[in-house]
Structures are given as structure tokens and as C-alpha cells.
Amino acid sequence: MIAALRGAFARDERTAGSAIDVDIRGAVVVLEGWVSTDQQRRRAESIVHESLPALRVRNEIQVLPPAAHTVPAEVHATKIDPALISTAGAHRD
């Protein structure tokens, strides 16, 4: 069931590429993760209702702006000056 829901999210143009986690706890489908718009959040819940109408949905998906989904470029681009490494811990008189 979980794999089928993940496939449905991937096929739907409104939820494709979203970071949605699916867990089934008894008769409840729990959705967690993030999406960029409230429309995507609602669509994810609709997909569950369409696919598994007998189960309830607990939608805990957060709507975050796209910039919040990525690690800032400056974190990836951080460079360490080799001179600092070679002199680290050296004592100068």
C-alpha cells in the first residue's frame, strides 16, 4: 500500500518531487514531510482518499517555501584556507 501511494505521488504533477513520507498505523495513513504549496498538501491527502478510501488520513505535511528545502550554497562552498590548517596549534614566540 505504501509503495502504491508513493507511486501515485510521483505520477501526479502536483506532488511529484515532493518530500512526502507515508506511514500506515492501523486504519490511519500518516503523511509527513514538506511541500511547497498548500495545494500540494491538499492534493497528497486527496490521493490517499482516492487510493485507500477505507482509511483515515492524518496530514502532518508542512508547507515550506522552496528555499527552506535546500542547504544554503555557502555551506556547500565552504573552503578552508590550507595555511590555517598547517599552522593550527603552532606556537609562535
Side-chain angles (χ1 to χ4, degrees):
M1 283 192 274
I2 291 175
L5 287 174
R6 287 182 181 153
F9 294 147
R11 286 187 303 277
D12 189 285
E13 64 185 38
R14 290 168 284 185
T15 55
S18 299
I20 300 172
D21 250 349
V22 181
D23 191 19
I24 298 177
R25 300 175 190 160
V28 179
V29 177
V30 180
L31 300 176
E32 297 176 316
W34 56 261
V35 294
S36 298
T37 67
D38 193 53
Q39 179 188 24
Q40 290 173 315
R41 183 180 188 277
R42 288 190 311 267
R43 180 59 188 147
E45 187 169 339
S46 294
I47 289 171
V48 176
H49 285 298
E50 292 164 10
S51 302
L52 302 168
L55 300 182
R56 293 180 319 163
V57 179
R58 190 168 83 206
N59 191 341
E60 297 181 1
I61 297 172
Q62 296 181 23
V63 177
L64 299 173
H69 304 167
T70 60
V71 176
E74 59 269 12
V75 172
H76 290 292
T78 302
K79 293 182 181 177
I80 298 173
D81 183 352
L84 295 174
I85 295 171
S86 63
T87 60
H91 298 286
R92 293 192 176 150
D93 294 337

